[in-house]
Structure formats: structure tokens, C-alpha cells
Amino acid sequence: MNLNGWQTYLVTQESISAGRSTQAIVEAAIAGGIDVVQLREKDTSAQQRYELGRELRSITAAHDIPLIVNDRVDIALAIDADGVHVGQSDLPVSVVREQLGTDALIGCSAATVDEATAAVDAGADYLGVGAVYGTTSKKVAGTKNGIGTDRVAKIVDAVDVPVIGIGGITADNAAAVIEAGATGVAVISEITAADDPTTATQTLAASITEVDHHV
Amino acid sequence: MNLNGWQTYLVTQESISAGRSTQAIVEAAIAGGIDVVQLREKDTSAQQRYELGRELRSITAAHDIPLIVNDRVDIALAIDADGVHVGQSDLPVSVVREQLGTDALIGCSAATVDEATAAVDAGADYLGVGAVYGTTSKKVAGTKNGIGTDRVAKIVDAVDVPVIGIGGITADNAAAVIEAGATGVAVISEITAADDPTTATQTLAASITEVDHHV
């Protein structure tokens, strides 16, 4: 799988979807051209994530869109996902690799150059880097806590895997993340909380494509 | 492994250990004759459970005590545990069996005869049945919410696997659970919060052995 095409990355969180199902949000994002979907839904039970995951697998497979599961290798294996994304407090990348095998995709969150190089050394296929601008999605107060695009650029320089910026990213500020060298951007609320998730995905993708044309 | 010898079963929860480590509580319980240990620690990160689990695996293996992991198949595999215990909101028993294989031990929580027979039909090797007397460990208010020993007896009659009673069990009321037909009892606070966890384990075990002699 060519991760260099991962320009837009949706992380699911039904609690901010204004009553719409995660299935509906994912379908709308796919219609808008999303490149990859991550099942997160941290606040739900394993059973709920397993059942939702099976539906998302069906939806994403029908459109040849990769599906990544946050944190849990067992749920990823149970729903035949393409891979797992782990944070710094989840199972180590090396353990995940051992359980998933060489073909699976493993992403790891990193906020510093040290975290980024350690994750890649351990076998991560891509990095989720941030929070770039700070975010309210993960209970990080305000936008002042973001690592900023300078840090994104330093991490891009330090590793040889795709970097996906995450945290507070919108169609208005995504271009700066791509200009810093990121392959793509991951969002929750920009798509999930949008009045029209399909249009929101298209607008986000267009803001990135525009940068690409200038590079 | 002979699960018919599982008379005392410790479920770990460091938050009620009065500052003692889970490793210390488990070592004390083993000194007191505990038959099986379950790593739960629901409020900690996957990384913390993985690291604690590796230590508990080393401690329990040295004394030939089985170690079960709550909920997460991936952590169980990563630490080479003997099995997984799932609740009604965790991954289905059939999915866990597929990932762990035939030799692993799978336990499932059940509060009704229907839940119990479904779990056994799906492949559970033993049942955790309760809350027998209600419990404060799992944020179930008061002791009036327990299913009672009559329900335990009904479940024992309905299944052909060992039943472990759980929920509000102490050395004073464990005998009634065994008299209802349970193989053993699982506790958190009775051992973890005890001034002397070794003595507490011995006292609990003695209260069960006494029943056995009378049957």
C-alpha cells in the first residue's frame, strides 16, 4: 500500500457527530475522497468497537479505503483491519508488529523528534504527529498547546516514513502542515462535526492539493 | 490445567491497595495460597498493563500459578498469559477463542443462566458469576444489587464448566457461594485492601476448604 497518497485521514468519534452514526460519517467522507479511516471511539466498549469495526470494514473495503484501528491489536485482527495506530501509552510498536506481522500497517503518535525516531526504529510505517495546533478533541485545552509546524518540519527531516499532522487541523490551516513537509493531515471534528462531511472532506483535500501543485 | 482446583481467584486493582504495588499484593496472595490471578487494572494505560503484566507473569510462573488477563487478547498474548477473561461488553468469547487457540483459558462474566449458557456454548472454560452479593469494586452501589446464591446454584446446574462467584465476597460469606455449587470465589478488596493480604488469602481459602470437607 502506498502511504504517500495519504493526504486526508479521518479519525472517528461518534460523540461529536451531532447524532449521525459513525458509519454515515465514514460513508460521507469516502464520498468526499478521504484517503484513510481510523476507528477510534475510545469511550465505547470493546464489543461496540468490534461491531462498529466490522461495519466500517465492509464500508471501507467496498471503496478500497484502508482502515486502521486505534490502540487494540485484538480488535484490528478480529475485523481484518489494515493496521493499528498506537499512542505513546499504548502497546509498544515492536509488540504490535510481532502480533500483526510484516504486512500490516502500524502508525504511532509522536510529539517530539525523539518519539518519532524511536517509533520508526521500532517499526512504525507512518507517524501521527501533533497536536500540531492543539485540539479540543483530546481534552487538550486551547490551541496554545500545539507543537507547531516548525516541529512538524523537524520530525519530517528526522524520519523516512510518511508524517500525518494531527490536532486542531482545518481546511484553513492544513496547507501550512503540508508545506512543513507532512504527507497529509488527520482530522476528527473538521469532518465529523461538519454540517456536510462530504463537502468538508473535499474542501480539506483541495486545500492540500493546492499546496502540492506549488511545491 | 485443572480448573476444578480454582478455589481462590484474585482480581488485581492497585487503586485500592493502600499504596502497595500490585506485584506485592500478588506475591502476598501467592504466599497465602491463591489459586489463580487476573490482571485487570482497568484504569491504567495499555502500556502500563503490559509492563505490569510482564512482571506478574514472571511472579506467577515462578510459583506455577495461572495468570489471566481481563478484556484484552493482545496484552494476554504479549505477556504469554494463560488466558483472557471477558465481560458481556468485551470481545465475544468466539472471537477470543479464535485468536488465542484451543489451549488458552477463556473466562466469561455471567449474571444470568442465559448469559452463562451462551458463554459456555461459545467456548468459555469457566464463568465468573455475579455480582453475588453486590460490590463496591465495580461501582455497583450497595450490596442489594447482588444476584444471590440461589442464582449461582441455578447457573451451576445449567453449565458443565467451573463457576467462580464474584462480587462482595469475603471470608465470612464465601462458604455460602461454595455451598451453592461454585468451584471457587474471586475477590478484589478482600485480599487487596487487607492489612495482611497473605493472611486474608489463607482465611478465605480456609473458609472454602471447610465447606468442601462437609460436602
Side-chain angles (χ1 to χ4, degrees), chain A residues 14-34:
Chain A
E14 195 164 286
S15 62
I16 62 166
S17 70
R20 298 166 293 190
S21 71
T22 290
Q23 294 91 319
I25 298 294
V26 167
E27 281 176 342
I30 290 174
I34 200 79

Side-chain angles (χ1 to χ4, degrees), chain B residues 142-157:
Chain B
T143 55
K144 287 181 183 168
N145 296 311
I147 60 170
T149 52
D150 286 354
R151 180 81 62 78
V152 173
K154 285 197 180 78
I155 290 174
V156 168
D157 285 346

Side-chain angles (χ1 to χ4, degrees), chain A residues 145-180:
Chain A
N145 296 310
I147 60 171
T149 52
D150 287 354
R151 178 80 62 79
V152 173
K154 285 196 179 78
I155 290 173
V156 168
D157 285 346
V159 300
D160 58 0
V161 300
V163 164
I164 310 294
I166 187 168
I169 292 174
T170 68
D172 291 330
N173 62 26
V177 183
I178 304 301
E179 283 165 356

Side-chain angles (χ1 to χ4, degrees), chain A residues 180-204:
Chain A
T183 297
V185 295
V187 300
I188 301 178
S189 58
E190 182 70 356
I191 291 174
T192 308
D195 287 340
D196 183 338
T198 297
T199 303
T201 307
Q202 289 168 333
T203 306
L204 182 67

Side-chain angles (χ1 to χ4, degrees), chain A residues 92-98 106 108 115-125:
Chain A
V93 168
S94 57
V95 170
V96 177
R97 176 62 70 197
E98 201 173 328
I106 301 177
C108 185
E115 287 179 357
T117 54
V120 174
D121 288 347
D125 296 301

Side-chain angles (χ1 to χ4, degrees), chain A residues 47 71 73-74 89 99, chain B residues 47 71-74 89 99:
Chain A
Q47 184 187 39
D71 178 22
V73 179
D74 46 7
S89 300
Q99 293 190 12
Chain B
Q47 183 186 41
D71 178 23
R72 290 191 63 144
V73 180
D74 46 6
S89 301
Q99 294 191 12

